[in-house]
């Protein structure tokens, strides 16, 4: 049973466009929600993370939107670039436990 | 900045053999995690250590064991390897209550 559900599985966006990836979770004990970027054959790299006491966090071109009541969060990549083409994973964890539960991943392709 | 170091980067084993994967966490990080990622799948948590003690356990087969040593490096020991064990194995480390940083992974191929 996937505790964190991620969509879409794949996404194609034109250069300069906005990429949006969505995640939903069931376990209300989760209180830390990071996003990771992974290139083929490489380790996941932390992009940005949010805790449920804020509804939005922005770092450069990356923004997380968080809806606690809906148990959903999303990643927005503004001005998407070909170098952003990678697989993106959302994840969740509980304070203290800290093991990450990942979504299924989204393969993002930015067309030049 | 120092990153998580994993060795070896690639490993090829025969069925029923044993493999040992090593992880060197970022200095001053007190927690180490192991994850397994199959082809086209998300990483799955295996086991973690906090200050050299096992802190959590996930879907880790009984054929696998792990430990963290006094210098904080960790080893994942895998015995009686099966074809299905072929995967990328990631180690991650985190500072106290901080985010996890992943290493480059070890690609294990079981023939």
């Amino acid at each position: 049973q996937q505790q964190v559900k991620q969509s879409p599985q794949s996404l194609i966006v034109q250069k300069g466009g906005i990429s949006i990836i969505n995640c939903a979770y069931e376990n209300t004990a989760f209180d830390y929600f990071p996003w990771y970027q992974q290139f083929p054959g490489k380790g996941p790299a932390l992009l940005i993370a949010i805790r449920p006491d804020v509804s939005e966090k922005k770092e450069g071109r990356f923004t997380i939107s968080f809806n606690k009541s809906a148990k959903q969060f999303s990643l927005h990549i503004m001005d998407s670039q070909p170098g952003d083409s990678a697989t993106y994973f959302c994840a969740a964890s509980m304070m203290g436990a800290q093991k990450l539960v990942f979504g299924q991943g989204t393969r993002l392709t930015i067309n030049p | 900045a120092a990153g998580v170091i994993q060795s070896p980067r690639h490993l090829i084993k025969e069925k029923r053999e044993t493999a040992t994967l090593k992880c060197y966490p970022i200095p001053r990080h007190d927690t180490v995690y192991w994850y397994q990622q199959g082809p086209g799948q998300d990483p799955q948590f295996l086991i973690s250590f906090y200050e050299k003690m096992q802190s959590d356990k996930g879907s880790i087969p009984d054929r696998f064991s792990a430990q963290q040593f006094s210098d904080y490096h960790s080893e994942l020991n895998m015995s009686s390897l099966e074809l299905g064990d072929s995967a990328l194995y990631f180690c991650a480390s985190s500072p106290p209550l901080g985010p996890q940083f992943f290493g480059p992974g070890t690609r294990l191929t079981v023939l």
Side-chain angles (χ1 to χ4, degrees):
Chain A
Q1 183 184 0
Q2 194 80 23
Q3 293 190 56
V4 179
K5 296 183 179 179
Q6 183 172 344
S7 63
Q9 274 190 302
S10 62
L11 179 62
I12 300 174
V13 175
Q14 292 299 119
K15 179 182 175 182
I18 302 174
S19 303
I20 302 174
I21 304 171
N22 301 298
C23 282
Y25 62 98
E26 288 298 322
N27 190 342
T28 54
F30 287 144
D31 60 2
Y32 174 70
F33 303 90
W35 284 89
Y36 284 84
Q37 177 191 58
Q38 186 177 30
F39 293 101
K42 306 293 185 183
L46 179 65
L47 268 180
I48 187 172
I50 198 169
R51 295 198 184 275
D53 52 342
V54 298
S55 60
E56 185 174 282
K57 183 175 181 179
K58 183 176 181 179
E59 289 183 3
R61 295 185 295 111
F62 302 94
T63 299
I64 298 179
S65 297
F66 187 83
N67 186 328
K68 187 175 181 178
S69 60
K71 292 186 287 186
Q72 295 175 349
F73 58 109
S74 60
L75 176 69
H76 292 60
I77 305 175
M78 314 299 287
D79 187 26
S80 300
Q81 299 297 312
D84 297 330
S85 297
T87 298
Y88 291 80
F89 290 97
C90 63
S93 71
M94 290 178 276
M95 180 71 75
Q98 295 190 26
K99 66 181 177 186
L100 290 171
V101 177
F102 286 87
Q104 301 96 316
T106 296
R107 179 171 290 185
L108 175 64
T109 301
I110 307 300
N111 284 335
Chain B
V4 176
I5 298 171
Q6 290 188 246
S7 67
R9 295 295 311 280
H10 303 273
L11 192 56
I12 299 175
K13 292 287 185 178
E14 300 279 342
K15 277 195 324 184
R16 292 180 288 277
E17 285 191 323
T18 297
T20 298
L21 279 54
K22 296 185 178 182
C23 168
Y24 297 85
I26 294 171
R28 292 179 293 283
H29 282 197
D30 60 1
T31 307
V32 168
Y33 313 78
W34 286 96
Y35 292 84
Q36 177 192 58
Q37 185 178 30
Q41 297 182 359
D42 55 288
Q44 295 290 316
F45 172 74
L46 293 176
I47 195 166
S48 63
F49 293 87
Y50 168 71
E51 288 290 344
K52 293 159 279 186
M53 299 288 289
Q54 181 181 310
S55 55
D56 200 358
K57 196 171 182 180
S59 49
I60 182 170
D62 292 341
R63 300 176 290 108
F64 294 6
S65 65
Q67 57 183 321
Q68 188 177 28
F69 295 86
S70 57
D71 64 351
Y72 289 90
H73 95 272
S74 178
E75 295 183 3
L76 178 65
N77 298 291
M78 310 159 70
S79 62
S80 303
L81 287 169
E82 303 174 355
L83 296 178
D85 296 329
S86 295
L88 273 167
Y89 290 83
F90 291 106
C91 173
S93 71
S94 68
L97 298 179
Q100 292 182 36
F101 295 90
F102 282 72
T106 295
R107 182 177 295 279
L108 173 66
T109 302
V110 181
L111 301 175

